[in-house]
Amino acid sequence: MSQQFSAVEAFSMLSEAAIVALGAAAETRAIKGGDVLVRYGEEADALYLVSAGRFHVQLPDGRVVAEIEAGEPIGELAFFSGGTRTADVRATRDSAIYALSREAYDAVAAEHPEITQTILATVAKRLARTTAGATALEAKPGRVVALLPAGDAHLPDGFAEQLTTSLAKYDDPQLVRRADMPAGLKPEDASFGSWVAQLESGAGRVILRASREDDSWNRAIARNADDALLVAPLYDRRPELSELETYALPLFQRANRQLMLWRPHEAKGIEGTPAWLEHRDVKLHHHVPLDSEAAFDRIARFMAGRANGVVLAGGGALGCAHIGVMQALLENGVPIDYYGGASAGAAMAGALAQGLSAEDTLAQMQEMFIANKAMKKMTVPVHSFLDPRVFDEQLRERYGTQDIADLPFNFFGVSTNLSTNGIFIHTRGPLWEAVRASGSLPTILPPLITEEGDILVDGGVLDNIPVAIMRELKAGPNVVVALRSDAGEEWRTDAKYGDVRSPGRIVRDIVLRRKPEREFPSLIEIMSRSMVVASEGTVEQSLAQADALLIPPIPQDMQILDWHLGKEVAEAARAFTEKAIATRDDLQAMKAR
C-alpha cells in the first residue's frame, strides 16, 4: 500500500516513514460497479486511492471528463484544499479503494509535520487545473467489454467467437465465458472485480460473454465492464427491455453503450431499427449480417478504436470529387466504417452509407441535376429563389423514406438550426430529409422545417467539415476530403462593378441565350462563398484535426452548379487518391487487415 501512496503526486516528495504511516492509516473498501463514491457538492472529508477497477468523473452538466484507474487518487485536490467535491465519481466496474479519512490524515500529519508543507506546495501548483474547466472526453473504447443479449433473445451461436476472431486482426482480445471463472469464485464475490482486473492486465481487450443460464454472472460482468455491447436479432418484433438490460444499462454512460442488430444474410433488407433504439439510449448501433466477415471486421475496428471515418465537405457540384476519392479508397483496401458530411458532402455520404457504389452514386447525381434539372426551376422569390419541388421529388426517389437508423453503414449529416443558432446532427429520421436539410442553401432553397418547428438550412453555414462531430462519435482515424474553397484559395473575378446587368438586359440575355463578356458573380456563387467565409474558423480547426487530409484537384473555373463536369472531376479525384494511397503512410495504416 505504501508504494501506491508514494505514486500520488501530492505524496511523491514525502519521506518513506511518512508514506508508510499514511498507508497504515488508510482502510480498504470495496465499491460495486455503478455505485457513486463521491458526489458533487459534498464535503471533501476523505481521500481515496484506487487499488483495482476504474472510475468515471462526471460534471453536473453530464460531461464525463476523466477516467481514474488503479494507482490513481480520487478527490485529492478538494481534500487538501478543504473544499467541496467538484464532480461525481462513479465506479464503472467492481473496484477496490484505499480510504484515508480526515481524522486519520490529521493524526498522521501531527506525527510527521513535513506532510502538510509538502502537500500544500503541490496543491498550489494544481489549483489551476480544476476539474470544472475540463473538456469532455473524446470517444474511447473500453478495454473490458460485456457482450449482453438485448430483448428476450440469446446471443447467436458462434457470434462471440467470430467477433473475437475479427478483433484479433486489430487487437489482442481474450474471450471469457462463464466456464472460465476460477473454481471457488462466485459472481457476487467482492474478489470478482479483481479477477477481471487480472484478465485485463494480460490482454489488449477482454470480452465477457453473457451466459444463457446464470443471471448472476451476467449482472457481474455488466458491473465490471467499461463498455456494454448489446446484441439483438433485427427482425424480432419484441424489442422491449429485458430484466438484464434494465439492470445493466444504468451502469454505463451513454458513450459506453452500443447496440448490434444481427440478421441472417447480408442480402436481406434492413428495417425496424428505430423500434430497438426507442428504449435504448445507445451512442452507436451497428448492423451485422452473420454471413459477412467484413461486417464483423467493421465492428472489430469500432471495438479496437480503429474505425475509419470519412468527413466530406460541402461544395455543390464540386462534391463529385468525393465520389472519386471514395472509389479509390474502397478499391484500394481502405474500408470506411462511418460516413459524415455537410451539404453536398452529406448527400454523397448518405448515398454511400446506403451501400451504393461510387459509380452508382455519381450516376444518381448526374440524373438528378443534369437529366432532371433538380435545381434549375426558378420561382417567385418569397421563400426562395429556386422552386424546390423537383429537387425534393428527386431526393425522395433516390434516397427514399428509409430511416437513417436502417442504413447498413453508420452515417451523420449536419445542418444549421436557425431556431437554436447551432448545429443539428442528423442520425435518425428519413435520410432524404437529412440530405435536404444539410443542402438547403439559404435564400436559394427554402429551409427544412422539422416536426418540432426547428428551421434548418445548409450545414456549411456553421461547419462545412464536421470533423469534431465525427471524433466525438467514434475513436479511430478520419479521412477528411476538403474542396477547393476549403483549402483557403482566394476567389477573384475579372468582372467590374459596372458589369452588374439591368433587369431588362438579364431578360434579353436569357431569351437570346447570351452570356456577358465578363461574368459577374451569381447569387448562388455569392451565397456559397459567404458560407465558406462564415465557417472559415471552423474549417481551419477541422483541417487541423484530420488524420488524413485529401484535397483533390478541381478545375479552377468550376462552379457549384457545374454538374456537367462531375465525371471529369470524379476521375481526377480517383487518380489523385490512388497515388496518395500508394505513397502516404497515414492512408496505408487505414487499410483492412
Coordinates of all heavy atoms in Angstrom, one line a residue, residues 1 13 18 97 184 232 236 277 298 392 435:
M1 N 0.8 -1.2 0.0 CA 0.0 0.0 0.0 C 0.9 1.3 0.0 O 0.6 2.2 -0.6 CB -0.9 0.0 1.2 CG -1.9 1.2 1.2 SD -2.9 1.3 2.7 CE -3.7 -0.3 2.8
M13 N 7.0 13.6 -2.7 CA 8.2 14.1 -2.2 C 8.3 13.9 -0.7 O 9.2 14.4 0.0 CB 8.2 15.7 -2.4 CG 8.1 16.1 -3.9 SD 9.5 15.4 -4.8 CE 10.9 16.3 -4.1
A18 N 6.9 8.8 6.4 CA 5.6 9.5 6.3 C 4.6 8.7 5.4 O 3.4 8.5 5.7 CB 5.8 10.9 5.8
I97 N -10.7 0.4 -3.2 CA -10.0 1.6 -2.9 C -9.4 1.6 -1.5 O -9.8 0.8 -0.7 CB -11.0 2.8 -3.0 CG1 -12.1 2.7 -2.0 CG2 -11.5 3.0 -4.4 CD1 -12.9 3.9 -1.7
G184 N -14.4 -22.0 -7.2 CA -14.5 -21.3 -5.9 C -14.9 -19.9 -6.0 O -15.3 -19.3 -5.0
A232 N -28.9 -8.1 -30.5 CA -30.3 -8.5 -30.7 C -30.6 -8.9 -32.2 O -29.9 -8.4 -33.1 CB -31.2 -7.3 -30.3
D236 N -36.7 -9.5 -34.8 CA -37.5 -9.8 -33.6 C -38.5 -8.7 -33.3 O -38.0 -7.5 -33.1 CB -36.6 -10.1 -32.4 CG -37.4 -10.8 -31.2 OD1 -38.6 -10.5 -31.1 OD2 -36.8 -11.5 -30.5
L277 N -34.1 1.1 -30.9 CA -33.4 2.2 -30.4 C -34.3 3.1 -29.4 O -33.8 3.9 -28.6 CB -32.9 3.1 -31.5 CG -31.9 2.5 -32.4 CD1 -31.6 3.5 -33.6 CD2 -30.6 2.2 -31.6
R298 N -15.7 -4.8 -39.3 CA -16.1 -3.4 -39.1 C -16.4 -3.2 -37.6 O -15.9 -2.2 -37.0 CB -17.3 -3.1 -40.0 CG -17.8 -1.7 -39.7 CD -18.7 -1.2 -40.9 NE -19.7 -2.3 -41.3 CZ -20.9 -2.4 -40.7 NH1 -21.3 -1.6 -39.8 NH2 -21.7 -3.4 -41.2
D392 N -36.9 18.1 -54.3 CA -37.4 17.3 -53.3 C -37.9 16.0 -53.8 O -37.7 14.9 -53.2 CB -38.6 18.0 -52.5 CG -38.1 19.2 -51.7 OD1 -36.9 19.4 -51.6 OD2 -39.0 19.9 -51.2
V435 N -30.5 14.9 -46.0 CA -29.8 15.4 -47.2 C -30.4 16.7 -47.6 O -29.6 17.6 -47.9 CB -29.8 14.3 -48.3 CG1 -29.2 14.9 -49.6 CG2 -29.1 13.1 -47.9

